[in-house]
Amino acid sequence: MQSAVLPDGRQIYCVNAYEVEFGIHEIFSDDLTARGLRLPANGTYLDVGANIGLFSLYLRDRCPQARIIGFEPMPAVFAPLAANLAALTPPGEAVELALGDRPGWAEFDYFPGIAALSTQNRAVGQTMAAGLRALLGGHQAGSEVQHIVERTGAAEAVADDGFLDALLRPERVRAQVDTLSAQIAALGVEAVDLLKIDTEGSEREVLAGLAEADWPKIRQLLVEVHLGPEVTETMAADLRGRGFSTTIGAHPLSQGGAAVFHIYAARP
């Protein structure tokens, strides 16, 4: 593991320190309450595809007595996640699993150089890698993202032959999968105040693993969709059909050409 320092001086564990500032920009700059979501201080939050736990830290800062459970299947990423959640007060819970439409095992593309890109959906991983390549190369990036690239020193590094090829080269990793409903039961969760899903292309499979009897337990969702605008709208429409109000926002990587969106969904 490596370590990194957040803007407020806190130290966290990570896979690659240079990834952390991008994650902070994506997560901490998003005001969920302005998107219509409520963050009860003592709620229950499921962070599916938690990576190193930056979203869980975001929640702890705003929800001091919340129960926070993070799911992450990649072993190299789970180690810093577990350490970061253990350091919270009160501690969060880390579960080394992917969530999908059925229990079992699955093959993932794990990106050691950019761990946040790791995915079970190879096509999505390639699209995200291409989008990140464009951003790191300074193409199509907005001013805020470009400033981050410059601060991390990536602008100079990408000039080296083969740097991005090495950075964005995946490895195959096998990981265990369970369903969301099975984990809700195993963890004794009676209600979910916010279900956050960021699984790099497997978001539909995660929701397919939620039994009909458990849907009423889900009060709000934040879903990062990596499958394009049509799938995003279809998923939002499905959520509206279940009684949620929805809004849609664009992910920072969309500046690099990756069609990534956020669905914010809440029950009235």
Side-chain angles (χ1 to χ4, degrees):
M1 288 190 295
Q2 298 184 17
S3 63
V5 178
L6 300 182
D8 62 8
R10 283 181 293 178
Q11 180 173 299
I12 63 166
Y13 296 100
C14 58
V15 179
N16 302 301
Y18 52 77
E19 288 188 71
V20 172
E21 192 165 357
F22 286 97
I24 291 170
H25 170 69
E26 175 191 350
I27 294 168
F28 284 73
S29 63
D30 195 1
D31 184 355
L32 298 184
T33 59
R35 304 286 192 170
L37 301 183
R38 303 174 298 278
L39 301 177
N42 61 347
T44 297
Y45 298 85
L46 303 187
D47 186 356
V48 180
N51 195 254
I52 64 170
L54 288 177
F55 186 76
S56 294
L57 268 65
Y58 173 98
L59 291 173
R60 174 59 76 230
D61 287 349
R62 291 154 180 79
C63 311
Q65 298 303 318
R67 183 183 184 189
I68 300 172
I69 306 170
F71 297 86
E72 173 56 50
M74 298 294 95
V77 184
F78 179 78
L81 170 67
N84 290 331
L85 292 192
L88 298 179
T89 304
E93 303 166 51
V95 181
E96 191 172 1
L97 281 174
L99 296 184
D101 57 1
R102 61 178 66 87
W105 292 80
E107 296 287 328
F108 289 78
D109 276 351
Y110 169 61
F111 290 80
I114 304 289
L117 293 185
S118 302
T119 177
Q120 190 179 346
N121 188 319
R122 175 162 288 183
V124 167
Q126 292 172 345
T127 299
M128 295 291 286
L132 186 58
R133 183 186 293 269
L135 288 183
L136 291 176
H139 308 297
Q140 305 178 32
S143 59
E144 290 186 11
V145 173
Q146 186 59 40
H147 289 159
I148 294 172
V149 172
E150 292 170 357
R151 286 198 300 271
T152 61
E156 291 77 19
V158 295
D160 295 342
D161 290 341
F163 171 79
L164 283 177
D165 289 339
L167 186 71
L168 300 173
R169 183 177 300 125
E171 300 174 357
R172 293 297 276 174
V173 174
R174 193 165 183 258
Q176 191 171 5
V177 183
D178 200 3
T179 67
L180 180 54
S181 278
Q183 285 299 301
I184 285 175
L187 295 164
V189 174
E190 296 182 358
V192 179
D193 290 279
L194 179 64
L195 169 61
K196 172 261 189 182
I197 303 172
D198 181 3
T199 54
E200 308 298 312
S202 298
E203 44 273 13
R204 291 182 296 184
E205 287 80 1
V206 173
L207 291 175
L210 184 62
E212 288 297 328
D214 287 327
W215 268 102
K217 299 177 182 177
I218 310 300
R219 295 170 177 166
Q220 301 179 115
L221 300 98
L222 167 56
V223 185
E224 187 167 299
V225 185
H226 300 77
L227 302 168
E230 294 82 7
V231 171
T232 301
E233 182 49 48
T234 297
M235 292 182 68
D238 289 344
L239 291 171
R240 290 193 294 270
R242 292 183 176 277
F244 294 90
S245 60
T246 66
T247 59
I248 296 174
H251 184 283
L253 262 183
S254 63
Q255 297 174 10
V260 186
F261 303 91
H262 288 154
I263 300 174
Y264 307 85
R267 296 191 187 276

